[in-house]
Amino acid sequence: MCARLITLLPLAAMLQMLIGSSAALAQAPPATTPVLPQLSVDLNSLQYPSAAQRAGLQGRVLVAFSITKRGRADELEVVEAEPVGEFDAVAIKAIRQVRFTVPDDWQDSGNVGHRFQMTVLFKISPCVAPACVAPKPHASAADFLVIGAEAK
């Protein structure tokens, strides 16, 4: 019994060390995720796709991108689109036109490589169809833009 107790003591010490270190990890502050910087964009130059407008089609596109040290969107990719393919090109064009106000240390802080997500909503108003439901931003999006059109 003594021999067994001796072999269990080091194991108990190891368990205590593991439990202690995992508790320390759980209490460690989470890595800070960069916040999407303030943005500005002139959406007047963007046109609602005319075929979609005539059809009364609305939608949303989730776009992932990084932000350069000059405050421009880079490495853009469509993550999700509803309806698929209908608004992708206009959504990418909209995000490319956004200018972000980044701090001077944006590149040094490692934020240049961080991926952000924004939703571009395509809404027609007034929405008169019985089943018309205005699109909403994606839950994972840091912000959203709206490109609107009048019903035809």
Side-chain angles (χ1 to χ4, degrees):
M1 185 155 191
C2 283
R4 193 176 247 177
L5 184 58
I6 291 171
T7 57
L8 288 178
L9 282 175
L11 182 59
M14 285 177 53
L15 282 174
Q16 182 60 34
M17 195 170 70
L18 287 173
I19 292 170
S21 65
S22 65
L25 287 175
Q27 293 174 357
T32 57
T33 301
V35 176
L36 186 68
Q38 184 176 0
L39 59 95
S40 62
V41 62
D42 177 17
L43 294 177
N44 292 328
S45 63
L46 297 176
Q47 297 295 316
Y48 205 97
S50 57
Q53 185 178 5
R54 280 191 304 277
L57 192 59
Q58 300 186 102
R60 65 184 187 162
V61 179
L62 182 63
V63 179
F65 57 94
S66 57
I67 300 173
T68 68
K69 65 181 180 179
R70 290 195 164 88
R72 297 184 183 255
D74 193 25
E75 301 173 0
L76 291 87
E77 75 174 294
V78 171
V79 176
E80 184 180 330
E82 300 166 21
V84 175
E86 187 68 39
F87 299 108
D88 296 19
V90 177
I92 292 288
K93 183 177 177 183
I95 301 295
R96 281 197 194 285
Q97 291 186 8
V98 172
R99 297 299 170 252
F100 298 92
T101 306
V102 296
D104 292 338
D105 67 344
W106 185 254
Q107 185 167 1
D108 296 336
S109 65
N111 292 335
V112 168
H114 184 76
R115 302 287 288 168
F116 294 94
Q117 292 186 349
M118 285 183 73
T119 299
V120 181
L121 301 172
F122 295 86
K123 293 185 176 185
I124 295 178
S125 64
C127 192
V128 292
C132 182
V133 176
K136 300 203 180 322
H138 294 86
S140 62
D143 206 347
F144 65 94
L145 300 174
V146 178
I147 299 176
E150 291 184 17
K152 287 195 173 190

